[in-house]
Amino acid sequence: MNFLQQPPRFLFFTGKGGVGKTSIACAAAVQLADAGKQVLLVSTDPASNVGQVFGLAIGNRIVAVPAVPNLSAMEIDPQAAAQAYRDRIVGPVRGVLPDNVVKGIEEQLSGACTTEIAAFDEFTGLLADDAATRGFDHVLFDTAPTGHTIRLLSLPGAWSGFLEAGQGDASCLGPLAGLDKQRAQYKAAVEALQDGARTRLVLVARGQGATLREAARTHEELAAIGLTRQHLVINGLLPESEAAHDPLAAAVVRRELAALAHLPPALAALPTDHIALKAFNLVGLDALRALLQPEARGATPDAGEPHIALPDAPTLSALVDEIAAQGHGLVMLMGKGGVGKTTLAAAVAVELATRGLPVHLTTSDPAAHLAETLAGELEHLEVSRIDPHAATEAYRAHVMATKGAALDGAGRVLLAEDLRSPCTEEIAVFQAFSRAIREAGRKFVVMDTAPTGHTLLLLDATGAYHRDVARQMAAGSHFTTPMMQLQDPARTKVLIVTLAETTPVLEAAQLQDDLRRAGIEPWAWVVNNSVAAAPVASPLLRRRAEGELKEVEAIRTRHAKRWALVPLLQDEPVGVARLRALAGAQATEAAEPAR
């Protein structure tokens, strides 16, 4: 593997949920330890199964792995870290500041930003404190910090007092307030990350266009802040030999080969490794040692196994039947990158439009190609795209012209830096979305790539728009802000999109928690690209389908009030007929022809 050639001291494995970061990090740690190196494996994944992989309890401490000489491990619990982080910040101000101010601080510290920064706070010591890691030749991190977090920690040190004076705008900076004591540690950690001689970033992706585009954006975001020593690992590629077993396997192989042939330019120049999809669970040393080998023994189960039996599951079309009954409203599809939100948003919009209902489909995803997905026009369907860059620049200009007008020169510099926070784009896009939200009173508005729950929480907690409206309205007046509409289940239906894999399901559950803290109750979950819902003869895909059943059952019984299962299809879901097939509807029934 290229990414393990002449490895530096620190290796970070980063990528979207479900791409296999933990398995690859564990396998790499074992390989280095087997070579005689002293290795520490650190996981910050909230769904960490490192302990399960090695068959021992690990937790938030460094412990030796008895089965692998030279290997130690620790698991940082992001939720526990976030709680300790909140207590450290909020504790000193309880009883000192007014209760409503303390409550506002707690709200700002309850989102995903805080969890991300708290986890970073935990392991910066491992990067900056030689005493903690002095005995190790290599330290491997599973689930590295995003460029988003590192960017925040690189902001000027004067922001703390700036925010306390009430001069800042709604952004991710709230969770950082009061952390000046950590500045030296953060500075040392960021310097270590930016030092190519000490640190290598391993971008993990799948052989899918959407996932590779996400990896390209991550690459560019990290490179822009100085983390340029990067390798690419494309994981889970279906072996070409499986194509002979059934049409679905053959179609998957063709799609993956096409994705590899058209890598985003940002990734094409990176050193790259390919790892084949395995049928077995990556638990135990034998499985980990086989993962990074070109041809792992036992990777394909014997042919002739019984077909996977999946209980009848509701289709996306069945969910649309319920949505359509209201005649109009807002439908938002949310989820992590690479789960297929754009395609499913198009499928929902097409299903509504074929029922003769007016629909406005809109997206803010810079990689979304709705025109190509629809492959034509459809009666009753309007399509638009919000340009995140243009929306962000307009938002920054507005804030500088309003709040910035009353500041001195130093204050304007700090406000401009605040507005370069990664959350600014999310807030700007939300405001652009707000204009489309108003249409939902007379038609269906379907939104792809909706703002994250933590952004909605920040908007609600800081109250910029919502509270200003409330204050300005006379007593007894009736008014509706965009946030109020999102919180009203009669007006808005949020569909959480995920895959039937452990990490994507956990991340979807965390998104649901974030939304609930913002007062938004998700309406349904949609499981996309399910192998278990598709007829498969490929031995490897049958085994994969078996592995999905546990996650589908967890969604059905624990997480979702409503749910739908969307099968993995042979053909790319492009065009009205295929989008309707993806939704589980008969494309010939009541379908308007594309033209």
Side-chain angles (χ1 to χ4, degrees):
M1 290 288 159
N2 288 315
F3 75 89
L4 283 177
Q5 296 297 315
Q6 299 180 321
R9 185 145 190 259
F10 299 114
L11 288 95
F12 280 85
F13 295 82
T14 188
K16 297 300 180 182
V19 295
K21 295 187 302 293
T22 296
S23 298
I24 293 172
C26 289
V30 169
Q31 185 164 316
L32 290 171
D34 286 346
K37 302 295 185 181
Q38 291 294 325
V39 180
L40 174 61
L41 174 63
V42 182
S43 174
T44 62
D45 190 338
S48 176
N49 59 353
V50 170
Q52 178 186 359
V53 167
F54 292 112
L56 77 160
I58 296 177
N60 192 24
R61 69 203 190 288
I62 296 176
V63 300
V65 178
V68 185
N70 306 321
L71 178 61
S72 298
M74 71 179 295
E75 294 175 326
I76 294 172
D77 181 346
Q79 298 303 327
Q83 186 57 52
Y85 188 95
R86 284 190 288 268
D87 291 343
R88 188 166 69 244
I89 294 174
V90 178
V93 301
R94 290 190 190 278
V96 178
L97 297 178
D99 289 345
N100 65 322
V101 174
V102 174
K103 185 175 185 298
I105 295 172
E106 290 176 330
E107 287 175 340
Q108 281 199 325
L109 295 174
S110 62
C113 241
T114 297
T115 303
E116 199 172 284
I117 293 170
F120 188 74
D121 186 44
E122 286 282 309
F123 65 72
T124 47
L126 299 175
L127 285 167
D129 182 0
D130 289 337
T133 59
R134 184 172 295 129
F136 296 101
D137 298 308
H138 301 288
V139 183
L140 279 63
F141 293 92
D142 168 32
T143 308
T146 64
H148 169 178
T149 300
I150 300 169
R151 173 67 182 138
L152 287 172
L153 295 167
S154 302
L155 290 172
W159 47 252
S160 181
F162 179 60
L163 288 173
E164 288 167 7
Q167 296 173 311
D169 198 62
S171 75
C172 282
L173 298 183
L176 288 171
L179 291 182
D180 278 320
K181 294 179 181 178
Q182 306 294 106
R183 298 293 298 180
Q185 178 172 302
Y186 290 159
K187 183 175 185 293
V190 171
E191 287 175 352
L193 288 170
Q194 293 173 335
D195 184 351
R198 287 189 285 169
T199 299
R200 178 177 298 168
L201 281 154
V202 181
L203 298 173
V204 184
R206 291 285 181 94
Q208 302 159 352
T211 306
L212 289 167
R213 288 191 293 270
E214 290 284 345
R217 285 197 286 273
T218 300
H219 159 72
E220 290 169 343
E221 183 180 38
L222 294 170
I225 52 177
L227 283 72
T228 56
R229 187 79 178 274
Q230 299 183 25
H231 282 241
L232 174 66
V233 174
I234 302 177
N235 186 34
L237 292 168
L238 187 63
E240 292 184 43
S241 59
E242 292 293 315
H245 292 286
D246 63 41
L248 179 58
V252 172
V253 169
R254 284 196 303 272
R255 288 205 293 266
E256 290 181 344
L257 290 175
L260 296 180
H262 298 89
L263 279 177
L267 301 181
L270 295 180
T272 302
D273 292 295
H274 295 169
I275 298 178
L277 183 69
K278 304 298 191 292
F280 50 81
N281 289 325
L282 290 165
V283 176
L285 289 177
D286 289 343
L288 289 176
R289 288 186 170 116
L291 176 60
L292 300 183
Q293 301 306 312
E295 295 183 7
R297 294 180 59 188
T300 303
D302 295 333
E305 294 182 359
H307 286 284
I308 303 300
L310 185 71
D312 290 339
T315 65
L316 183 61
S317 181
L319 290 185
V320 175
D321 287 341
E322 288 191 65
I323 294 170
Q326 191 170 335
H328 63 85
L330 177 64
V331 182
M332 302 179 81
L333 285 91
M334 297 190 184
K336 298 294 183 180
V339 295
K341 294 187 300 295
T342 298
T343 299
L344 291 182
V348 169
V350 164
E351 278 293 292
L352 289 168
T354 55
R355 289 158 168 77
L357 298 163
V359 183
H360 178 187
L361 171 62
T362 183
T363 180
S364 67
D365 185 349
H369 301 287
L370 286 176
E372 289 90 338
T373 300
L374 290 166
E377 298 178 356
L378 182 65
E379 190 174 348
H380 309 301
L381 178 60
E382 170 193 357
V383 179
S384 68
R385 189 180 81 85
I386 294 167
D387 183 338
H389 178 74
T392 304
E393 289 305 310
Y395 175 77
R396 286 177 179 144
H398 173 74
V399 174
M400 291 300 296
T402 53
K403 293 191 176 184
L407 301 177
D408 58 19
R412 286 178 61 82
V413 169
L414 285 169
L415 179 58
E417 182 68 23
D418 181 0
L419 290 170
R420 286 194 288 273
S421 159
C423 279
T424 298
E425 179 177 305
E426 292 183 11
I427 294 167
V429 169
F430 176 80
Q431 291 201 345
F433 270 143
S434 297
R435 293 188 283 274
I437 287 173
R438 289 192 286 270
E439 296 181 45
R442 62 182 186 277
K443 63 168 66 171
F444 280 105
V445 176
V446 180
M447 290 186 173
D448 163 43
T449 312
T452 64
H454 112 260
T455 301
L456 296 171
L457 186 67
L458 281 170
L459 286 166
D460 199 31
T462 56
Y465 180 73
H466 179 89
R467 292 182 189 170
D468 281 349
V469 171
R471 279 196 298 268
Q472 292 168 14
M473 298 301 291
S477 299
H478 295 286
F479 64 93
T480 302
T481 66
M483 180 61 69
M484 292 169 64
Q485 178 153 341
L486 297 182
Q487 293 169 335
D488 184 350
R491 297 168 178 256
T492 300
K493 291 179 171 58
V494 172
L495 277 59
I496 293 180
V497 182
T498 187
L499 304 175
E501 299 173 14
T502 302
T503 302
V505 169
L506 181 89
E507 291 183 338
Q510 291 174 330
L511 172 59
Q512 179 161 267
D513 290 342
D514 269 351
L515 291 170
R516 284 172 172 167
R517 282 196 296 271
I520 299 169
E521 182 62 31
W523 185 75
W525 283 43
V526 181
V527 182
N528 194 25
N529 284 337
S530 171
V531 179
V536 291
S538 159
L540 193 152
L541 290 183
R542 286 181 181 176
R543 187 71 65 85
R544 299 287 301 181
E546 284 182 355
E548 288 187 357
L549 298 180
K550 178 182 176 183
E551 300 303 328
V552 171
E553 182 65 11
I555 291 168
R556 184 183 71 84
T557 59
R558 296 208 314 265
H559 298 306
K561 296 178 179 178
R562 297 175 186 80
W563 66 290
L565 198 63
V566 175
L568 178 65
L569 299 181
Q570 287 186 37
D571 299 312
E572 289 284 356
V574 174
V576 172
R578 289 181 184 174
L579 287 169
R580 297 209 69 210
L582 179 143
Q586 295 298 321
T588 57
E589 292 181 6
E592 295 285 349
R595 59 181 190 275

